[in-house]
Amino acid sequence: MADDYFTIALEPAGGSATSRVLLGGAFDIGTREDLRKALLDLVGDDPGPRITVDLQRVTFIDSEAINALIEGYLAAERAGVTFRLAGAQGIVDRVLRVIGLDHLLDPPEAGGDQAGR
């Protein structure tokens, strides 16, 4: 990854049923290809029955990064893998809801922060 203002960490399913993608920082046009590649590679590597993209530490997301998430979702759907977004907060949560991706959002955990919804 060329910049250090974002992170993408993969946790393949291994012994569990869920592969996790942990994102942190700002995701924009400069990070789109890294995010897209990480998601498509994970789908292609037999991730198990479910992929969860954890957005808890994402501070910004633009349309290019959202497009990468959609590409990952579509690839997972074609592979028969459930694809969910979790932990979106603040402006990231709001943007995902406004553009109609709220059907991919896991419900917040009990006791979680509901501000801005």
Side-chain angles (χ1 to χ4, degrees):
M1 291 174 247
D3 299 310
D4 62 353
Y5 69 99
F6 72 99
T7 58
I8 301 171
L10 302 178
E11 293 180 352
S16 74
T18 300
S19 288
R20 298 183 58 80
V21 181
L22 308 171
L23 304 181
F27 286 83
D28 57 20
I29 192 168
T31 61
R32 179 193 183 286
E33 192 54 35
D34 288 321
L35 179 55
R36 179 185 166 283
K37 183 175 179 346
L39 293 173
L40 295 181
D41 286 352
L42 181 60
V43 170
D45 287 343
D46 189 24
R50 180 180 170 101
I51 294 172
T52 298
V53 179
D54 187 333
L55 303 169
Q56 186 171 359
R57 291 192 167 96
V58 175
T59 57
F60 175 82
I61 193 165
D62 76 356
S63 61
E64 292 292 330
I66 289 169
N67 188 41
L69 290 175
I70 292 170
E71 286 186 59
Y73 162 70
L74 293 173
E77 187 175 67
R78 285 189 299 272
V81 176
T82 300
F83 185 97
R84 303 293 293 173
L85 304 174
Q89 300 179 46
I91 191 67
V92 174
D93 179 71
R94 188 163 302 166
V95 166
L96 293 171
R97 291 177 187 282
V98 166
I99 65 170
L101 292 183
D102 50 319
H103 67 284
L104 295 179
L105 292 168
D106 272 345
E109 294 181 21
D113 181 13
Q114 298 292 313
R117 289 190 189 185

